[in-house]
Amino acid sequence: MMIEYLRASAPKRTYAIHDGLVNEWGLKGLGGVLEMEAERAVSDYRRLEIVEI
């Protein structure tokens, strides 16, 4: 569903959100897929890092 939305909307910039429960390996896998799909959509993919204050 997330990939379908990325393909259909073709945003200029894409952010991964709501992935706080995904472990390090899951984030790498998901990030790789999203980066690949963002390239196809000519979109800039970014993941917002958690910063503790």
Side-chain angles (χ1 to χ4, degrees):
M1 186 166 172
M2 184 170 35
I3 301 301
E4 292 171 4
Y5 179 76
L6 176 62
R7 289 177 180 168
S9 63
K12 291 184 181 186
R13 182 166 291 151
T14 306
Y15 292 95
I17 58 173
H18 301 295
D19 58 2
L21 296 176
V22 181
N23 68 22
E24 183 181 346
W25 289 99
L27 289 174
K28 287 181 182 183
L30 179 61
V33 171
L34 290 176
E35 285 174 13
M36 181 179 66
E37 290 298 329
E39 284 181 22
R40 287 184 186 178
V42 190
S43 180
D44 177 29
Y45 166 75
R46 299 178 185 196
R47 182 173 182 278
L48 301 177
E49 298 293 330
I50 297 171
V51 177
E52 293 186 33
I53 299 176

